Every structure is written in structure tokens, then in C-alpha cells.
Amino acid sequence: MNWSGGKDSALALYHSLQNNACDVRYLLTSLNDSFRRISMHGVREELLDQQAQRLGIELLKLRLPETTSMEEYQIRTAEILQPLAAAGITKSIFGDIFLEDLRLYRENQLETVGMQGIFPLWKRPSMELLEEFWGLGFKTIVVSINGNVLDQSFCGRVLDRDFVSELPPNIDPCGENGEFHTFVFEAPYFSQPIDFQQGETVEMTYHFQNTEGEDLTSTYFFTDLLPI
């Protein structure tokens, strides 16, 4: 299970466990090894560990440097997947919903190590997924947002119906285009909820080049969660 700690991977895991479609042996999470936080989400490693403990599933950590190229990411991912494939793990589960290019990328990468991608949430409407998520008793908090498309005020809020109702009309309610990321602190399969205190919200600016060689800037906001 490709586990980000957020709502989509959490719901995808729920369906995989409920349907007995897969015997889920491992959670796999990418971490920024310099800061010991979940990649893109900025959640502390200690809170990720608590999620895995409450699930009772072994956690594997793909540790990445602060800055890494796509080529290096692919190499490191293959290095962690190859032993799993050799041990008989044949499927890799993702919480993706509708990004065709991302799914194709994942499937191509998995094919190199002899594994198959599973996408339990694929093509389901975002609001349908959220209603199911809430109805099952999941709770999640928004820990990072793309400041190019959302105001800072959205960061650090519980993702509920009020949150969704205030989103601009061009924003996917599940944040599938990277508009925001979440941390699940309560789930029907957790042995108990995860307690935390909300810390400060910080702004980070990233400079990069797109495929056409243009210089671009992205601003992100991260709300720190402090383990109790």
C-alpha cells in the first residue's frame, strides 16, 4: 500500500482490506530524510509511525534527500520494490482518482519490477468519495496547500463539509490536482485515534524549471502537527 498518510490512500486501503482483494503486507511511504517528514505533506515521521502502529501493518520508508531528481527517485523506488517483488509481492495499491498520466507513470514503473498497480478509487466522483470517507468515520486535517491556488487560511483545518463548501469552484474537493494534502488521525481500522497539537503554519517557496525550460515559482503552506 502506497501510504501517504492522507485521506485518499486511507480510503483505498479500507477498500482493499474490506474486499479481501489483497493481503496487504506493507505500507510504503516516501520521506524527506533531511527533515524526517512525509514528502509533500510535511507530516512528522513520528505521526506516520503512529498510523502504522494503529493499523498493525509493517511500514517501509523510502528515504529521499531534500532535493532529488526524477531519475534518482525512480532508482530508489525500484531498489525498495525489487526485494518485495522477489519475495512474492505482486500488487501495489494507490489512492489515485483520475490523473491518467500519473497512473500510466506508476504502471510503467511497476512493470519494470514485475508488479501490478491497483487503484480502488479510480474514476469515482470526488464528492462521492468524501461522503463515503466521512460516513465511515474517517477524520483528516489539511496539512499542506498549494499557495498558488488556495489561500493560507485553508491550511490547518479539518477537512469537512464546511471546508469543501468554501473551496473555489475550480478546486477539486479531494485536492487530486495537488491543491492540498491531508493527515488522517481517526479511521475505522485504527486501534485508537491519533492525538496531536497543531503547531505553526509556515510558508515555503520553491523554484524550478518546467519541461520547456521556463523558470517557475510555487508557494506552499505547511501546518505542523506535534505528537502528544
Side-chain angles (χ1 to χ4, degrees), residues 8-223:
D8 298 332
S9 63
L11 188 58
L13 175 61
Y14 176 85
H15 281 284
S16 299
L17 295 174
Q18 285 295 112
N19 298 336
N20 295 316
C22 299
D23 177 15
V24 182
R25 297 293 183 89
Y26 303 101
L27 306 176
L28 174 60
T29 306
S30 298
L31 291 165
N32 180 321
D33 201 30
S34 299
F35 296 101
R36 299 175 66 89
R37 293 175 182 264
I38 299 175
S39 301
M40 297 302 296
H41 292 223
V43 174
R44 293 170 183 253
E45 186 175 356
E46 301 98 303
L47 290 172
L48 168 65
D49 290 338
Q50 288 189 34
Q51 287 182 322
Q53 290 162 4
R54 283 158 172 74
L55 270 165
I57 300 177
E58 184 175 347
L59 176 63
L60 303 177
K61 299 172 181 178
L62 175 58
R63 297 188 179 277
L64 300 169
E66 184 176 355
T67 57
T68 183
S69 66
M70 184 58 69
E71 181 181 7
E72 184 177 9
Y73 171 75
Q74 292 172 339
I75 292 171
R76 293 192 178 214
T77 301
E79 287 174 346
I80 203 168
L81 291 179
Q82 285 168 347
L84 299 180
I89 304 296
T90 60
K91 296 179 174 63
S92 187
I93 307 166
F94 297 89
D96 299 314
I97 304 173
F98 57 70
L99 297 180
E100 299 278 0
D101 55 343
L102 182 57
R103 174 168 178 162
L104 181 61
Y105 168 78
R106 298 197 196 284
E107 290 176 328
N108 288 340
Q109 189 174 34
L110 290 171
E111 188 177 1
T112 65
V113 296
M115 295 176 70
Q116 176 187 2
I118 303 295
F119 302 83
L121 311 183
W122 191 246
K123 293 299 184 180
R124 289 184 57 191
S126 294
M127 278 308 303
E128 178 183 298
L129 291 172
L130 284 177
E131 291 293 348
E132 180 182 38
F133 183 83
W134 294 324
L136 290 168
F138 285 95
K139 294 182 181 179
T140 192
I141 184 171
V142 176
V143 290
S144 68
I145 63 167
N146 182 345
N148 290 1
V149 297
L150 281 178
D151 184 82
Q152 177 183 347
S153 62
F154 284 97
C155 207
R157 293 178 55 182
V158 170
L159 199 168
D160 55 16
R161 290 176 181 83
D162 288 339
F163 178 94
V164 173
S165 70
E166 295 172 27
L167 288 173
N170 61 320
I171 301 298
D172 178 67
C174 281
E176 178 70 350
N177 295 302
E179 298 98 329
F180 60 87
H181 299 288
T182 62
F183 172 77
V184 171
F185 59 89
E186 191 166 337
Y189 45 48
F190 281 180
S191 58
Q192 65 185 78
I194 297 174
D195 293 324
F196 59 88
Q197 291 181 339
Q198 190 167 315
E200 65 176 337
T201 297
V202 299
E203 179 180 350
M204 302 286 289
T205 300
Y206 301 92
H207 303 281
F208 61 97
Q209 286 189 335
N210 63 12
T211 54
E212 286 75 36
E214 299 173 312
D215 292 319
L216 301 176
T217 299
S218 287
T219 298
Y220 285 83
F221 294 96
F222 297 88
T223 295

